[in-house]
Amino acid sequence: MAFFALKNVTKSFGGLVAVKTVSYEVQPGQIAAMIGPNGAGKSTAFNLVTGLYVPTSGEIEFNGQSIGGKKPDFVCKLGIARTFQNIRLFAFMTAVENVMAGRHVRMGAMLWDSLLHTPKQRAEERHVREKAMELLRFVKLERHADDYAHNLPYGFQRRLEIARALASDPTLLLLDEPAAGMNPREKEDLMELIRAIRDRGTTVFLIEHDMGLVMNISERIAVLDHGEKIAEGTPAEIRADSRVIEAYLGKSA
Amino acid sequence: MELFIQQVINGLSLGGIYALIALGYTMVYGIIELINFAHGDVYTLGSFFSIAIIGLLDASGRLHGVPLLLVLAVALAGSMILCGIVGVLLERLAYRRLRNAPRLAPLITAIGASFILENIMQLWRGPSPIPFPSVVPNVTWHFGGVNLSSNEVLVVVMALFLMAVLQIFIYNTRLGKAMRATAQDRDAAQLMGININMTIALTFFIGSALAGVGGFVSGIYYGSTWFYNGFEAGLKAFTAAVLGGIGNVAGAMLGGFVIGMVESLTAGFISDQWATVAVFLLLVLVLIFRPSGLLGEVLPDKV
Amino acid sequence: FTPAQAADQVIKIGVDLPVSGADASDGIPTQNGVTLAVEEANTHAPKGFKFEVDALDDAVGGVHNPQQGATNIRSLAADPAVMGVVGPFNSNVAAAEIPVSNESGLPLISPSNTNPTLTKTAKYRTAHPDVITYFRVCATDDVQGKAGAEFAKTLGLKKVYVIDDNETYGLGLANVFEKDFKEMGGSVLGHDHITANQQDFKALLTKVASTHPDAVYYGGTTSTGGGLVRQQMASAGMDPTKVKYVGGDGISDEEFIKVASDAANNSYYTVAAPNAAKSASAQSFIKAYKAKFHSDIGAYSANGYVAAQVIIAAAEKTIKQNGGKAPARAQVLKNIQNTSGFKSIIGTFGFDKNGDTTSPVIALWTIKDGKQDFVHQINVSAK
Amino acid sequence: MLHWKKYRPIDWALVAIAVFMPFLPLVDHNGGHINVLVNAGIYMMLAIGLNIVVGFAGLLDLGYAAFFAIGSYTYAMVASPQFGLHFSFWPMVLISAFVAAIFGVILGAPTLRLRGDYLAIVTLGFGEIVPQTFLNLAKYTGGPNGISAIDQPKLFGYHFGLNPLPYYYLVLVLIAFSLIVANNLRTSRLGRAWMAIREDEIAAAHMGINTTTAKLAAFSLGASFSGLSGVVNASLLTLVSPDQFKFNVSITVLSMLVLGGMGSLPGVVVGSALLSILNFFILPQASNLAATVGLHIDFTSYRFMLYGIILVAVMLFKPEGLWGSEQRRAELKESDITKAENAEYEEMPRETV
Amino acid sequence: MATLLELRQIDAFYGRIQALHGISLRVDKGEVVALIGSNGAGKTTTLRVISGLLRPAHGQVIYEGQDITRLSPDLIVGRRLIQSPEGRRIFARMTVLENLQLGAYTRTSLTEVAESLEEVFTLFPRLKERINQKGGTLSGGEQQMLAIGRALMSKPELLLLDEPSLGLSPLLVQTIFSIIRDINKRGVTILLIEQNARQALQIAHRGYVLETGNITMQDTAANLLASEEVRAAYLGGSVKAS
Ligand SMILES: Nc1ncnc2c1ncn2[C@@H]1O[C@H](COP(=O)(O)OP(=O)(O)OP(=O)(O)O)[C@@H](O)[C@H]1O
Ligand SMILES: Nc1ncnc2c1ncn2[C@@H]1O[C@H](COP(=O)(O)OP(=O)(O)OP(=O)(O)O)[C@@H](O)[C@H]1O
Ligand SMILES: [Mg+2]
Ligand SMILES: [Mg+2]
């Protein structure tokens, strides 16, 4: 059984087929990428994985389990976390609260504990806060722990979103255009961070339009166009693929 | 069967009044996402203004023909304009400052404004029901066992006509487009050169003027009003707007008629005391199956 | 604020009525009656004394509220200058206030509570079950409903449809009417409850019309829909010249005539007091009211006026008993309890052992040519 | 956590007032005043409960009085001559809270898919239906007369009777308890989940938060507080009737939250205390109070306007509420642009995720 | 060249946070001026100030020799000073055509508007294909075309573009930049914000570097491209921008 695989996944919205019988497998420990023109169906594919959309047909497998059509909170519990193409932080919660909220699914406090603040609950809260601070250090945001997410600069927000996603101890992390709106310097930092995440044992699957970044860090790349997978391979293979050049990269790339 | 048809007629005319109020709710909600609780009171004000104008013109004696039409036209226009002005003032004084405030702040000022308006009307014409001058002869036609009165026709025709005008205005005129643009994204609208303050004020003016029509028509239809009239009618009308899919002109109309119908049929065939319960149960049921209202998805456009 | 006035000792007449929001139509005209009574009393107040109105609102957010009522009575009870309270208006507010009044010994005279259980059982007198502190100047629903039924009978009505406003007063009245009318051999075609503050009754009335009644009996007040129901009957297919309209004192106001307009004629109603028009004092009351408040009297203005007069009279009597010294509340209470043969614009009455009015007269009225017209009056207790 | 960087003098004043409250009856013997405070306390509990739904979880509930009604009627039915049952007060406090909580789930469940103001209007509908149903089912509920002669609590042989004083202390204890529980909730896993849902429901779901359960928990916990206050209310008044639970009650409680500062517990306390005192004391006595400062104005006819003006004025000058939490204060500064963007997110899910 | 737009000593705040610290800049008629800087530097804020969406605390905005600092956004638009804002801000529930018509909101001559529409469709044939599609259902790239097209519909004198290439595929990025150059050639002055600093500077005449609300550098585009500091901070070394 595969660690993570899309099997003939199709998603249509009314008449529009956004994702068309796409199959793709990600190996554990990999940094994998998905690229393709605007509107190719990349984000839709992510949304299918995390349960925002229900696939029209096809299977999504994760750790031997079929997760197609399952609710987002269930998918998260299984170990898939994500970030969003347009940042969706909890704007008026502090950075550390954001990360703690990301830990929700790994916590055990029940209603009773929440109501009465039992010793068990207090110990857990302390632990979760420590864990959240550790993640903030990991993404180099510890100094902003008590700032509202909303007040952080864009690049920091992207990193905070990653920390929040990591808080649920995912084995697979989906990043949707993590470098959008970053300048080249910030992109370099981001690449380092992604590698570090992989090194912690989390598999990374990302969508990105920045070819510098994609070609640099990913081990395997899938290319989508009009909902269909038109190519798959190593960065070098993709760069040389004429269909990809025509549909996506353009001559200058 | 005749009884049923008769109740449907009742429902349609009641629904027409709800619809006229609901149009204003839906417009205001559509553009600034505010449940304008004072809107029901603007509707009542419409009746009050009409009464005052007819009184001023001293039309209490029976008039006929052209003079009668003239009086009615002046009363209707006056009620619309005055209600429109009240709406604009409300927006200017109670809501504009709060455009970027937490969402519930303007809701509370709306409630406060509603109390103020109610009290003003109470001071103006006293706390008890007041009669609406019966200047218009109500003609009744008989079709077998079914009666249809000119007042009923007036309410329904007025509602349908104004909805059609409004629909055309919003979708086919430059100002209508400005309103829709302002509703969707205020900053972007400004970057198109749209004066959003003016546009929002215009929306309030039109919505309130429609409530003024409602007040005028319902005065003629029911023959009386009182300062607290808008409360209940306002709640139902807002429910109608939500039922139809808030922000949607045709939806508000449909919602108004549906609610009027449910109320009438429940009162007519079950019991009057369960009519309100039936209305809200219907709302819940509809929203369970269509979470954004009857027309909310088909025509997702806000006004 | 002249020094002479300041030196006068103040005797307060408390008022507890709903005067804001939707309930203002009930409370304000009634409170106006009290104000008038107190102003008149001050023209001939005992030397060294001065009456004042201490009026509290029992509406919260525009609706009468029993909690607020109980709080008001406690506040008034805490002020030793308050000798008695006119109020409350609504029966459920009374249910919350009677226990407080009973406990604190503050006399309460309601102008309008008609629910029989308030006085006839001791369940609200929790602290001192056999001390009466709550009185009323209006007849209870059972008396009036019955009179209404008899009236209907004499009008020759056989088939009646009953509608009430689903409030304590209206429902109680309608229930008694229905029961008694049936007992007298009449037939009740149906009984429906409306929701107060509604504007549209056409659906209900269309249904009523389909049963072809001789008359509609309405239990409730003008402001909860009494006028509109009558007015909309025509458009629902009931000719108001043929189908009569019968009700209680809740529709005995000028508003009813205005709202029902053309349809007002051919309406009949009972009033739990003798024909006021026959007493000159009532005429001058109505005139004075109009002059001061620029509006017609409300259904309970006269009752508010009389209730205040009862308290004032008891206080004045106490002062006399004390030889011109300040009255104590317990004494005033005693004098109120002993009220009898009290001449007022709503007739001559006293209080019975439960605190109910002994005035047994119910007057019957009709509306003719857009004017209230006295028919006759019956003495219910004589039966 | 309380995000107060530093305590302001006004914070200390609040604490001082809170500490003083138990001793107040020693100074003020006026039963009317104590009664006002008991009513204020009942409303404060309602506000604390509604704050969980609206302030914490961000679900706009315009029909909260329905739960108040359910709590009150639950006790009234089993502790009055209505059915001849006379259950003891103390367990009923918990049972009524529980019954209200269950209704919270029942009424909450169909509304979960609804967004924003659709939810508001449905809850408003419930707020209309519930008292109307109590009114209509006269056989069980006494119809418009309601249920009267409700039992008062006994504690160690002491019968509460009608004296407001024991209720005053009971309410103080219940408020303290409610505040502690509400604050615990806020700073717990569940509280954080609510906050996350309020900020961004889709993102919250992707963090593994089961939004359905969390929202239902908010509805039912919020409702349970009104169960508590309902029991106290019913026994002190010895009466429940449908018109005690009309729309104006829901609106009053909501205004308390917004006026005080939504989401913030001190805000809820301040807002409900001030508005209760305004509603139960100042407005009913407006004319008398004016007279004591030498103003002879008859406010009888202006009361409603006064109330309206105060609501409008407070909101215009302090839109985040008198005691707005830091979060809300921050949100205020949110510019148009972020607002509009958020709005866009909601309408165009395809672009957002 | 004549000065078209000038900012003088602008201070701007969000609540208590100061986003711009006395910045001054100038755009001459016919130029493409690039404004570069890292996230949160204040680039968008600068454009918001120019368009009147944010009132500066101090300083002046001079346009065509007149002070427009206190004018409301719609009046500024009326002077043909047009912005295509960050995040595109398409009217999602209006059709492509309606969006474009709104772009021409301030214009009165119907024939001229029709001409502009044709022009936009020549620049972006894709938009003509989608003329009746709702804006919100367009793909990211199409939305960007619509945003720029909409701005052109108002017949801009000066066009402010805020990150027009954000989130676009490499191919589309090329297209957008060539279109910008095209528009400029037709006589429209352009103030351009870009994360993609290299390409921005390649089509610009001059450039400004904004850092935490301060202008730290200003020079010709060529000089900035060659500058060591700019290269290190904004152009990237190892990562080649597409
Ligand atoms: N909820 C939806 N309803 C209708 N159509 C949708 C929806 N979500 C996506 N689509 C359509 O599906 C297609 C794929 O969209 P998607 O967001 O997956 O593209 P993408 O590859 O992520 O593009 P980009 O690089 O611009 O983010 C688009 O044509 C879009 O219009
Ligand atoms: N609405 C707002 N409320 C509060 N602070 C804001 C707001 N918008 C921006 N800021 C702050 O103002 C500063 C400048 O923001 P601005 O958006 O102008 O930067 P930018 O240069 O456009 O960045 P980016 O490259 O991310 O678009 C930042 O520190 C940002 O956090
Ligand atoms: Mg995408
Ligand atoms: Mg920016």
Side-chain angles (χ1 to χ4, degrees), chain E residues 5-231:
Chain E
L5 174 80
E6 193 181 352
L7 302 197
R8 290 185 190 152
Q9 298 293 329
I10 298 284
D11 284 346
F13 292 80
Y14 290 106
R16 259 173 283 145
I17 306 166
Q18 185 162 8
L20 297 178
H21 301 264
I23 69 160
S24 300
L25 59 78
R26 193 188 88 238
V27 181
D28 291 340
K29 226 177 171 64
E31 271 190 317
V32 175
V33 174
L35 186 57
I36 60 175
S38 44
N39 289 130
K43 306 181 294 294
T44 300
T45 307
T46 307
L47 293 201
R48 285 173 62 79
V49 167
I50 297 172
S51 283
L53 292 171
L54 184 69
R55 282 271 155 86
H58 298 288
Q60 290 156 316
V61 182
I62 310 290
Y63 180 67
E64 290 180 322
Q66 283 173 321
D67 188 340
I68 60 164
T69 324
R70 304 265 148 217
L71 289 190
S72 63
D74 51 298
L75 294 178
I76 293 175
V77 170
R79 297 181 174 216
R80 307 275 161 267
L81 198 173
I82 310 299
Q83 179 179 164
S84 162
E86 190 173 56
R88 300 163 196 147
R89 311 298 282 269
I90 295 299
F91 298 109
R93 284 162 292 137
M94 292 169 123
T95 63
V96 167
L97 182 63
E98 285 175 321
N99 268 282
L100 291 173
Q101 285 170 340
L102 275 168
Y105 184 79
T106 53
R107 297 174 64 186
T108 42
S109 158
L110 288 178
T111 48
E112 279 182 41
V113 171
E115 274 169 32
S116 294
L117 197 60
E118 276 319 304
E119 254 174 70
V120 169
F121 286 147
T122 357
L123 279 176
F124 305 107
R126 187 67 170 268
L127 291 183
K128 193 164 189 173
E129 292 165 26
R130 303 284 156 114
I131 190 158
N132 285 321
Q133 195 169 332
K134 293 261 152 100
T137 63
L138 295 174
S139 93
E142 289 157 354
Q143 287 195 358
Q144 193 63 60
M145 293 177 208
L146 181 55
I148 296 173
R150 190 178 62 177
L152 292 176
M153 285 300 291
S154 57
K155 205 173 182 200
E157 200 79 33
L158 171 59
L159 181 58
L160 313 173
L161 293 172
D162 199 342
E163 305 206 26
S165 77
L166 183 87
L168 296 189
S169 72
L171 202 58
L172 267 175
V173 173
Q174 304 310 320
T175 319
I176 290 281
F177 276 107
S178 71
I179 286 171
I180 293 172
R181 217 189 302 241
D182 233 49
I183 297 168
N184 178 242
K185 287 221 181 84
R186 296 172 187 217
V188 180
T189 311
I190 289 170
L191 177 58
L192 174 66
I193 291 182
E194 258 303 327
Q195 288 295 345
N196 207 330
R198 181 182 301 272
Q199 286 200 323
L201 290 173
Q202 274 166 1
I203 63 167
H205 301 102
R206 292 188 303 114
Y208 291 85
V209 177
L210 199 55
E211 274 173 22
T212 57
N214 294 288
I215 302 256
T216 53
M217 277 197 211
Q218 58 181 92
D219 210 333
T220 61
N223 285 348
L224 286 174
L225 265 174
S227 147
E228 230 4 87
E229 289 156 73
V230 173
R231 190 178 283 273

Side-chain angles (χ1 to χ4, degrees), chain C residues 101-117:
Chain C
S101 147
N102 179 260
E103 188 198 29
S104 59
L106 178 65
L108 215 55
I109 304 184
S110 168
S112 59
N113 295 152
T114 51
N115 188 331
T117 59

Side-chain angles (χ1 to χ4, degrees), chain B residues 180-236:
Chain B
R180 288 165 63 211
T182 305
Q184 291 180 38
D185 186 334
R186 252 176 265 155
D187 273 3
Q190 297 203 61
L191 292 178
M192 301 300 108
I194 294 167
N195 181 337
I196 58 165
N197 283 337
M198 214 276 288
T199 309
I200 292 174
L202 179 72
T203 308
F204 269 87
F205 186 88
I206 296 175
S208 305
L210 289 173
V213 178
F216 173 80
V217 170
S218 87
I220 289 181
Y221 182 68
Y222 291 118
S224 85
T225 186
W226 69 307
F227 78 100
Y228 205 65
N229 219 0
F231 177 80
E232 194 79 16
L235 284 191
K236 295 266 173 60

Side-chain angles (χ1 to χ4, degrees), chain D residues 154 192 252 296 333:
Chain D
K154 270 198 195 92
R192 214 164 27 241
T252 305
H296 288 275
K333 296 189 192 109

Side-chain angles (χ1 to χ4, degrees), chain C residues 1 17 19-22 28 31 53-68 70-72 74-75 78-79 90-93 95-96 99-100 103 115 123-124 126-127 166-169 171 193-197, chain D residues 30-33 35-36 39 42-43 68 81 132 135-136 138 143-145 148-149 152 161-164 233 236-239 241-244 246 248-249 252 279-281 283-285 287-288 291 294 296 298 300-301 303-304 307:
Chain C
F1 246 88
L17 295 166
V19 294
S20 53
I28 288 183
Q31 182 171 321
V53 175
D54 187 349
L56 303 184
D57 183 5
D58 67 30
V60 174
V63 180
H64 60 273
N65 180 311
Q67 272 175 320
Q68 183 61 51
T71 300
N72 288 347
R74 273 194 202 286
S75 300
D79 180 351
N90 306 83
S91 289
N92 65 345
V93 178
V100 179
E103 188 198 29
N115 188 331
K123 75 175 177 183
Y124 300 101
T126 44
N166 220 1
E167 296 202 341
T168 303
Y169 161 72
L171 178 68
H193 318 284
I194 60 168
T195 314
N197 299 349
Chain D
N30 186 317
H33 297 174
N35 225 26
V36 167
N39 287 346
I42 288 171
Y43 269 85
F68 187 34
Q132 184 71 40
L135 178 63
N136 290 352
N145 299 328
S148 52
Q152 278 83 51
L162 291 174
N163 184 357
N233 174 57
L236 173 63
L237 264 187
T238 73
L239 167 83
S241 57
D243 49 2
Q244 287 172 48
K246 290 205 164 158
N248 65 320
V249 174
T252 305
N279 262 332
F280 289 118
F281 186 67
L283 286 181
Q285 315 222 21
S287 310
N288 301 350
H296 288 275
D298 182 8
T300 307
S301 306
R303 228 156 258 172
F304 223 36
Y307 185 42

Side-chain angles (χ1 to χ4, degrees), chain B residues 17 20 47 50 76 132 151 154-156 158 212-222:
Chain B
I17 302 227
L20 282 173
S47 301
S50 306
L76 176 62
F132 194 96
N151 282 348
L154 171 78
V155 172
V156 175
M158 203 73 148
V213 178
F216 173 80
V217 170
S218 87
I220 289 181
Y221 182 68
Y222 291 118

